[in-house]
Amino acid sequence: MSFFRVLAVRVSPFYLELFYFILMSVLGFLGLKILKPRVPVAPSNLDLFFTSVSAATVSSMTAVEMEVFSNSQLILMTFLMFLGGEGFTSMLGLFFSSSNLYQKQSLKNRVTTTHHIPQVPNPNHIEIDLVSLKKQTQLGVDDRSDSDIVQDDKLSELKRRSVKCLGFVVLGSIMALHLVGSGLVSTYISIIPSARRVLRNKGISIQTFSVFTIISSFASCGFVPTNENLIVFKQNSGLLLLILPFVYLGNTLYAPFLRLLIWVLEKVMKREEFTYIQKNYKEMGYDHLFSGVHCWLLVATVFGFNLIQFVLFCCTEWNSENMEGLNNYQKLIASLFQISNVRHAGEYILDFSQLSSAILVLFVAMMYLPPYTTFLPIREDKNETKKRIKTSVKEYLLFSQLSYLVVFIILICITESKSIKEDPLNFSVLNITLEVISAYGNVGFSTGYSCKRQLKADGNCRDLWIGLSGKWSNKGKFLLIVVMFFGRLKKYNMRGGQAWDLS
């Protein structure tokens, strides 16, 4: 634990998370390789690694049909999605932060006396070094009274307890939501004959499907154990409505949900930690804690984007081939479910290859936006503004995220140039762009590949329920793996490209 504490303090969070996701991807690949699939011929090593990365980074890009994987492999992918979800990884950060604060306080008590104790710096920038701490004590000038020092110690202890308490709140809420969601989905499928029949015909366990789907929805992954994702359940509006809240709570509305939960706990339990968390949310070092006003504006922004998507989607797709066989109520629920998954869960109930180009372009724009994109018509705090101005030289030299995506799209167009020439309908630039932005946004949408769109018919061609990237060359798949890692860690490059002046 001491080794991990030192790592958490001395090593950049970016490199820690990058190592974490690479390690999970490698271990996931080895597990998928060892466990036997349901088909005689196992997928290639690259496709297995591609799938492992896709699950670990909650991207749900598919290079292999999901029904190829055995029940044990699906369980492994469930763990990858859970451990790779933002809720779990952010919770780990909270417990590391609490441990660092405790370690800092213990070291301070060992090397200082009751007088002339220097103020404890921010735990994200401290050096856990006994010698340096002694030097700070000897050289520091502190004219505070004993009562002030005691008060600071109490505040430091309260902050540490609050961070730890927040970590348990996050853990408890995640586990409770998964248990409730899995139980609801399992009960629905057990009761509704049409839903139960689908899984029985495919040989998929109800329990595995329920847990897998809820974890995937909350982690904003988008994987579903069936080849067709949720297309086979598009007439089961009740199932879609059960899954829909977890799509929001694990992604765009996670911060407002957490704020509401802490407010309720404070009212019920009357603990000072919850009061401290709400009043000092910026000091918690947790990216998903916002002020009450910010949460309300975020909720308004999310539903504003959804309203725009819903209106345009219904106008263009209401009477399309995708909606055949659905009544008006089912069309309404299907439309709501589909546009809700664009940011950024990735589950789908419609064939994207049949969607209009206008909707695909709209979806590309929505997938590019970060989950907490918010309309903030309020004045920022002056101190916060100053912090944003103090940008490192490294951040100024970095390109913007959009610039990197353009580079990736160009590189993939180069690697797939032969397919673009011979099969332009499947390998159109719009389809490739959708694939790349989907991987970057960790969404998982794809237009797929259709033998019917081939200009030169291939008698050996067989339609598969895989993404377009499943038909790419090995170089193209490797580039998309890099995009998935880049997208999962995009929060570390949100301010890139500031050195460029376009005026």
Side-chain angles (χ1 to χ4, degrees):
M1 286 301 299
S2 299
F3 172 74
F4 286 115
R5 289 189 190 118
V6 173
L7 276 182
V9 174
R10 295 183 180 273
V11 181
S12 168
F14 169 79
Y15 293 111
L16 280 177
E17 285 204 41
L18 178 61
F19 174 76
Y20 176 79
F21 286 116
I22 291 177
L23 178 63
M24 274 210 309
S25 300
V26 172
L27 294 177
F29 160 72
L30 294 176
L32 292 175
K33 182 70 176 177
I34 295 172
L35 299 173
K36 294 183 179 180
R38 297 173 64 181
V39 295
V41 181
S44 67
N45 288 336
L46 180 59
D47 285 342
L48 286 179
F49 183 68
F50 186 96
T51 302
S52 178
V53 172
S54 190
T57 60
V58 293
S59 300
S60 71
M61 306 303 294
T62 53
V64 181
E65 289 186 315
M66 291 300 295
E67 292 175 28
V68 166
F69 298 110
S70 62
N71 189 68
S72 56
Q73 288 176 317
L74 290 176
I75 293 174
L76 174 60
M77 292 175 64
T78 303
F79 278 105
L80 290 177
M81 293 187 295
F82 179 79
L83 297 177
E86 181 62 23
F88 182 82
T89 56
S90 64
M91 180 200 67
L92 290 181
L94 283 173
F95 285 121
F96 269 122
S97 178
S98 174
S99 177
N100 290 336
L101 288 172
Y102 177 79
Q103 186 77 358
K104 178 62 182 177
Q105 189 68 25
S106 299
L107 286 172
K108 187 183 75 170
N109 293 337
R110 286 169 52 193
V111 301
T112 60
T113 61
T114 57
H115 297 286
H116 305 297
I117 303 176
Q119 185 177 0
V120 180
N122 190 305
N124 293 323
H125 301 89
I126 61 173
E127 292 285 339
I128 300 184
D129 189 330
L130 187 59
V131 176
S132 64
L133 193 57
K134 287 181 178 179
K135 291 182 178 179
Q136 292 176 19
T137 304
Q138 294 170 358
L139 298 178
V141 177
D142 195 344
D143 56 358
R144 294 176 298 163
S145 64
D146 290 348
S147 61
D148 291 336
I149 294 175
V150 172
Q151 182 65 22
D152 286 346
D153 288 342
K154 289 183 178 179
L155 286 175
S156 298
E157 176 62 19
L158 177 58
K159 179 180 179 180
R160 186 192 69 80
R161 295 203 320 268
S162 299
V163 172
K164 186 177 181 179
C165 180
L166 179 59
F168 282 113
V169 169
V170 172
L171 175 61
S173 62
I174 291 175
M175 299 306 297
L177 286 171
H178 285 156
L179 288 173
V180 172
S182 302
L184 290 174
V185 171
S186 178
T187 302
Y188 177 91
I189 296 176
S190 300
I191 294 175
I192 305 301
S194 59
R196 187 171 66 251
R197 189 181 308 114
V198 170
L199 296 185
R200 184 174 65 247
N201 293 339
K202 292 178 176 293
I204 300 174
S205 166
I206 294 179
Q207 288 72 25
T208 299
F209 177 88
S210 302
V211 175
F212 187 103
T213 303
I214 288 299
I215 288 180
S216 177
S217 301
F218 187 82
S220 299
C221 183
F223 273 145
V224 176
T226 58
N227 285 341
E228 308 89 345
N229 206 275
L230 290 175
I231 293 178
V232 289
F233 296 105
K234 66 180 180 180
Q235 293 182 333
N236 297 107
S237 300
L239 178 62
L240 302 182
L241 289 175
L242 287 177
I243 296 174
L244 192 57
F246 298 91
V247 171
Y248 283 110
L249 293 180
N251 193 17
T252 52
L253 296 185
Y254 175 67
F257 163 71
L258 183 61
R259 178 83 186 190
L260 177 62
L261 178 61
I262 293 172
W263 179 81
V264 171
L265 290 173
E266 191 271 335
K267 294 296 182 182
V268 174
M269 303 180 68
K270 307 294 184 181
R271 290 186 58 174
E272 59 179 344
E273 288 89 344
F274 297 124
T275 304
Y276 183 88
I277 291 171
Q278 294 182 83
K279 291 183 178 180
N280 303 275
Y281 58 92
K282 291 183 179 180
E283 297 180 14
M284 292 293 99
Y286 192 56
D287 295 335
H288 305 287
L289 270 182
F290 299 148
S291 66
V293 175
H294 194 161
C295 287
W296 280 112
L297 292 172
L298 176 58
V299 171
T301 304
V302 169
F303 287 107
F305 280 143
N306 282 353
L307 179 61
I308 295 172
Q309 291 185 87
F310 183 77
V311 172
L312 293 177
F313 190 87
C314 289
C315 290
T316 58
E317 304 296 331
W318 190 263
N319 295 316
S320 66
E321 185 179 348
N322 262 322
M323 295 291 192
E324 287 184 359
L326 302 181
N327 57 39
N328 289 336
Y329 172 73
Q330 291 171 335
K331 288 182 180 180
L332 186 70
I333 300 301
S335 301
L336 177 62
F337 185 86
Q338 192 60 78
I339 62 100
S340 299
N341 275 269
V342 177
R343 304 182 60 226
H344 296 265
E347 293 166 342
Y348 57 92
I349 56 172
L350 301 175
D351 185 354
F352 269 59
S353 65
Q354 298 178 6
L355 295 179
S356 65
S357 298
I359 293 299
L360 291 180
V361 173
L362 174 65
F363 283 0
V364 167
M366 291 297 168
M367 289 188 296
Y368 174 76
L369 297 175
Y372 292 150
T373 299
T374 312
F375 177 65
L376 288 172
I378 55 177
R379 177 176 293 182
E380 287 187 330
D381 186 280
K382 292 183 179 180
N383 294 329
E384 184 68 19
T385 305
K386 290 180 180 179
K387 289 180 182 179
R388 293 191 177 188
I389 293 175
K390 294 180 180 179
T391 308
S392 66
V393 176
K394 180 181 178 181
E395 288 177 323
Y396 269 109
L397 294 177
L398 291 173
F399 291 119
S400 67
Q401 297 184 28
L402 187 59
S403 301
Y404 287 118
L405 291 175
V406 171
V407 171
F408 280 120
I409 292 172
I410 293 173
L411 291 176
I412 290 174
C413 285
I414 293 174
T415 62
E416 309 307 314
S417 58
K418 182 179 179 181
S419 297
I420 293 174
K421 292 179 181 179
E422 296 178 354
D423 195 1
L425 296 183
N426 279 307
F427 285 82
S428 67
V429 176
L430 176 58
N431 290 350
I432 292 176
T433 301
L434 177 74
E435 201 87 7
V436 173
I437 301 299
S438 181
Y440 161 79
N442 306 124
V443 181
F445 285 160
S446 176
T447 56
Y449 185 91
S450 175
C451 299
K452 296 179 181 179
R453 294 199 295 264
Q454 291 180 334
L455 294 183
K456 297 180 180 179
D458 182 2
N460 296 323
C461 181
R462 186 169 65 93
D463 286 326
L464 298 173
W465 287 99
I466 60 175
L468 177 62
S469 54
K471 291 288 187 177
W472 289 1
S473 64
N474 289 345
K475 293 179 181 179
K477 290 178 181 178
F478 177 78
L479 285 172
L480 202 66
I481 288 174
V482 177
V483 174
M484 285 190 276
F485 281 121
F486 174 61
R488 187 63 182 85
L489 301 171
K490 56 180 171 284
K491 63 182 179 182
Y492 294 105
N493 186 36
M494 297 301 292
R495 293 183 292 175
Q498 295 188 30
W500 296 89
D501 187 358
L502 302 180
S503 61

